[in-house]
Amino acid sequence: LYPCAEGLGGYLKLFRGAALVAVVVLDSQFHFPLLVRFVVCVIMFLPRKPLMPRKLANFVALMAKFNAFEEAIDFSFMRELCEKHGTPRHYRRGEYFARTGEVIKNVGWIVSGGFKHSLIDKAGNAKAVGFVFEGSILANYLSATHGKQLPTDIIALEESDVLVIPASMIRERLMSDPTLYIRFLDALFEQAYEHMLNDYRSTPEQRYRQLLSRYPRLFDVVSLGEIATYLNISRRQLHRIRETIAAETAKEDKSNE
């Protein structure tokens, strides 16, 4: 009934879903190369209106960036594994959970504290590309599930406690449940595409406000320089944004007196 209600578009969705299920089942048996998996998923989840070549390149680049700071995906199954089988570990501020170039061996669930994903650019400068705090998974998807080298360092921002399990547990859980694997991939690609659109439609000031709203504690444990690199703006631009917001807040406080 669902495909009939949506006409041809509904049948296309049904076909794409059935095709993806078939690919996942075959993959669990034959272990397709990562490139094959990626191409299939892009075909399945690209929007109906085709992306222009430049935007497609940005989409592909975003996937690597997104996997460095997973967000807004249902990681409840990972949390359950960590809470059931995890080993408690404490990380001091500045201590590495994993380093660039390694294949991540463990993943974790952050009980308290926070971490940053950081890389060194071609000019030799350290840049923060993502942050995760308590109640989040601590991992890198491609490295944990496909054995790829980490593109970033994962470093504790403050005193942090993590429940750690072997990455193999995540791989085995996903491979044993095709339905969960599909939902996971669907959420991953959908969120990545949404993040790319947000970069197009939001100004630096709006992205700063979003960051402040999502991570209120971020400014207590991260330097302004790192926040500027994360937002991909200069420190001077960040300073102007903060001045604008401070002036607005002062004006609102005065009007409420």
Side-chain angles (χ1 to χ4, degrees), residues 188-207:
L188 188 69
F189 277 82
E190 181 179 351
Q191 179 61 25
Y193 186 58
E194 177 61 27
H195 191 88
M196 183 189 73
L197 292 179
N198 188 58
D199 283 346
Y200 276 95
R201 63 189 171 211
S202 300
T203 65
E205 181 177 331
Q206 289 171 332
R207 287 189 281 117

Side-chain angles (χ1 to χ4, degrees), residues 130-257:
F131 306 99
V132 284
F133 291 92
E134 55 267 14
S136 300
I137 199 71
L138 186 61
N140 175 279
Y141 171 70
L142 286 178
S143 185
T145 61
H146 296 87
K148 305 294 288 185
Q149 290 184 335
L150 275 172
T152 64
D153 295 316
I154 304 178
I155 307 171
L157 290 168
E158 56 185 337
E159 299 293 312
S160 303
D161 293 298
V162 182
L163 292 173
V164 177
I165 62 172
S168 59
M169 284 191 177
I170 302 298
R171 290 195 297 270
E172 292 168 2
R173 179 72 174 88
L174 289 172
M175 292 301 103
S176 66
D177 189 340
T179 301
L180 176 63
Y181 193 22
I182 291 171
R183 291 206 315 266
F184 185 79
L185 289 175
D186 191 5
L188 188 69
F189 277 82
E190 181 179 351
Q191 179 61 25
Y193 186 58
E194 177 61 27
H195 191 88
M196 183 189 73
L197 292 179
N198 188 58
D199 283 346
Y200 276 95
R201 63 189 171 211
S202 300
T203 65
E205 181 177 331
Q206 289 171 332
R207 287 189 281 117
Y208 174 85
R209 291 178 184 272
Q210 291 167 2
L211 186 66
L212 181 62
S213 175
R214 288 175 54 204
Y215 302 122
R217 290 201 308 109
L218 183 65
F219 300 85
D220 297 329
V221 294
V222 178
S223 69
L224 292 180
E226 287 183 310
I227 293 173
T229 62
Y230 173 72
L231 295 172
N232 201 26
I233 60 178
S234 67
R235 292 191 183 188
R236 179 176 298 179
Q237 190 174 5
L238 177 60
H239 181 67
R240 288 199 299 266
I241 291 172
R242 286 169 58 85
E243 283 186 334
T244 299
I245 294 176
E248 291 176 357
T249 302
K251 185 177 179 179
E252 290 176 359
D253 291 342
K254 187 175 182 180
S255 63
N256 292 330
E257 291 178 356

Side-chain angles (χ1 to χ4, degrees), residues 44-85:
M44 294 298 173
F45 295 104
L46 277 178
R48 293 179 182 177
K49 293 184 179 180
L51 296 173
M52 296 299 290
R54 182 174 64 84
K55 291 186 177 181
L56 180 58
N58 288 338
F59 175 77
V60 174
L62 177 65
M63 290 310 300
K65 179 180 178 182
F66 173 72
N67 279 293
F69 57 98
E70 294 94 340
E71 57 184 30
I73 295 176
D74 183 8
F75 285 111
S76 58
F77 74 97
M78 292 190 184
R79 177 179 182 176
E80 292 170 2
L81 286 174
C82 290
E83 290 181 339
K84 185 176 181 180
H85 303 287

